[in-house]
Amino acid sequence: MKISWNWLRDFVELPPGIGPSEVAARLSVSGVAVDGLTEIGKGLSGAIVAEVRGKRPHPKADKLTLVDVFDGHEVTQVVCGAPNVPAPWEPGASPRVVWARPGATLPSGITLSVREVRGVPSPGMLCAEDELGLSEDHGGILLLSPGDGLEIGSDFAKGVGLPDWIFDLDVTPNRPDLLGHVGVAREVAALFQGQGARFRPPHTDLLPWLDSVDASSLAAVEVRDPSACPRYLAHVLRGVRVGPSPLWARLRLQRLGVRAISNVVDATNLALLEWGHPLHAFDLAALKDHKIVVRRAAPGEKLTTLDSVERELLHDDLLIADAERGAAVAGVMGGAQSEVRAGTQELLLEAAYFRPDLVRRTARRLRLHTEASHRFERGTDPNDTLTAAARRCAQLIVELAGGRIARGALDVYPFAIPRPSLTLRPARTDAILGMEIKPTTQAEHLRALGLEVLVSADATSLAVQVPTYRPDLTREIDLIEEVMRLHGLGELPATLFARPRLTTAWIESTLHF
């Protein structure tokens, strides 16, 4: 799992002096292995956003172009050898590029100056992605647009969130909550709680983008197998315009190993990486009767998935269908028939909870390992995270692609999955760890992870409600392990408590499971 430091910092407030290396070290000793920490855009400075005002051939070189760039104050001529220098005279054009001026430093360590290129002075250079440390692409200079939100003359690195550090986390199957930036931020805040760290969960307000029409009048959802799909939530959006995402979104996805496709699809991937919950957008017009039916596949039923492969399904496979035919393999991959295309204007946005064993079985049989199946197999959160991810994705779509969100959500959730209730005995924690930790301190550690904790009047027990984004916490010993992780493995004593007399009263009060 790749995590962006800059994105992570949106959701956790850390004390001064705590940087990526310190966070990586603390995660590693707490049981979340960090396999790598890579800096992106290191050493880039002095590169600005500039507007192309004119271009013409170099008088002494056929493959070179003289480009007039405007930095917000004056126009400067720069020599460029890229084949894709934009033409400023095309109708509606406002071409923008990245200009590394004299004195600018690139990630390669080169400091630019004024140099002659075939007899013409060139102050600095117009940059390609590889020269900016963004990728290995050297096919042409990086082209920007007004929609990227970068002002002419502004610092390019700052505008796109550089430098950044990418954590490569080795997330174990029992911690699905760490498959998104919000979950990792919660973990980091808990690990540094003693130093004043604070978790800042994102807040989404859909009110500014709400349509006057109710979602129930535009689409319908029917779940025929609630045991396989306990919850299916859908938002309906109208008036979207499918196109490329702005640069910040493309770069954010790129840093995390995800290919940018379109503003709508990119929004689903951004919400996935933020919350750790998979989402899928259907072209509503391609769904027969504007209806979603969640059912088991008919034996031998076929579906062409987004990778253009026709797949034969079994009755054990859970299918997302419309009123007539399949539209997606639940929890694994969408279907080509209902995918978002350039002309799509109406969307049905899916956020669902599928039974992990069913997704695992289908994904392995079809040999399809996707970002969605990776998470559904491990168990996603059917409650708060699902709702928050759906709302966040709807907001991102209208921010990137325009449109409006229909009022209300189509939410089929007949039997709500409850939050487990556990009891933790502080004395049992002390006995297991071989050290005394105050009951109030144990409660603070668990609350930092988002658990609700009530301490009994005599402080002999803690009543703990476990959020459903932590499916790994099912027993008292699991809570003890969390207390141990947050208290610090280095705090454990080298020698255990003196062994107590094994009286019947001691066994019943302390070791009873």
Side-chain angles (χ1 to χ4, degrees), residues 44-49 98 101 150-163:
L44 176 62
S45 65
I48 68 164
V49 178
V98 181
R101 297 180 294 184
L150 302 174
E151 297 295 328
I152 296 172
S154 64
D155 183 86
F156 173 76
K158 183 178 180 181
V160 297
L162 294 176

Side-chain angles (χ1 to χ4, degrees), residues 119-372:
V120 177
S122 180
M125 63 185 290
L126 307 185
C127 299
E129 287 193 14
D130 63 336
E131 293 159 338
L132 295 167
L134 302 177
S135 73
E136 297 180 359
D137 184 7
H138 193 68
I141 57 175
L142 176 62
L143 301 182
L144 310 175
S145 71
D148 292 325
L150 302 174
E151 297 295 328
I152 296 172
S154 64
D155 183 86
F156 173 76
K158 183 178 180 181
V160 297
L162 294 176
D164 196 3
W165 289 261
I166 304 300
F167 296 77
D168 190 357
L169 303 185
D170 184 8
V171 179
T172 54
N174 68 321
R175 290 298 305 273
D177 60 302
L178 298 180
L179 294 175
H181 283 71
V182 171
V184 176
R186 184 188 294 109
E187 181 82 1
V188 170
L191 291 172
F192 287 91
Q193 60 173 322
Q195 295 168 254
R198 188 167 62 91
F199 175 52
R200 297 182 302 204
H203 173 70
T204 302
D205 181 14
L206 299 185
L207 188 60
W209 294 281
L210 285 184
D211 201 346
S212 59
V213 179
D214 289 333
S216 59
S217 67
L218 302 173
V221 173
E222 177 187 354
V223 178
R224 294 180 183 173
D225 190 346
S227 65
C229 176
R231 187 180 187 189
Y232 193 100
L233 182 147
H235 286 289
V236 178
L237 297 91
R238 303 192 300 168
V240 301
R241 297 179 299 278
V242 179
S245 292
L247 182 66
W248 71 263
R250 302 197 305 271
L251 291 180
R252 176 167 282 188
L253 291 172
Q254 179 181 291
R255 289 176 210 167
L256 301 175
V258 178
R259 180 172 62 93
I261 297 174
S262 70
N263 45 18
V264 171
V265 177
D266 294 348
T268 64
N269 286 325
L270 288 168
L272 162 70
L273 294 170
E274 182 170 293
W275 280 97
H277 193 97
L279 303 115
H280 185 72
F282 295 94
D283 184 335
L284 184 60
L287 297 175
K288 179 66 174 178
D289 296 340
H290 289 186
K291 186 175 184 180
I292 285 288
V293 179
V294 185
R295 58 174 174 83
R296 297 298 181 112
E301 187 171 0
K302 296 181 180 181
L303 173 69
T304 300
T305 46
L306 287 172
D307 55 0
S308 301
V309 176
E310 185 179 66
R311 304 182 185 277
E312 185 171 336
L313 305 177
L314 304 178
H315 182 62
D316 280 347
D317 299 325
L318 190 63
L319 189 66
I320 308 299
D322 60 18
E324 289 185 351
R325 57 182 176 175
V329 181
V332 182
M333 184 177 283
Q337 172 259 336
S338 59
E339 71 174 315
V340 174
R341 297 175 172 86
T344 298
Q345 296 182 350
E346 297 180 324
L347 302 173
L348 185 140
L349 176 63
E350 168 193 283
Y353 175 79
F354 303 116
R355 218 171 73 201
D357 61 313
L358 292 178
V359 175
R360 186 181 306 114
R361 187 185 309 143
T362 296
R364 291 183 180 179
R365 184 180 61 78
L366 296 178
R367 296 182 181 178
L368 276 176
H369 182 78
T370 62
E371 292 284 354

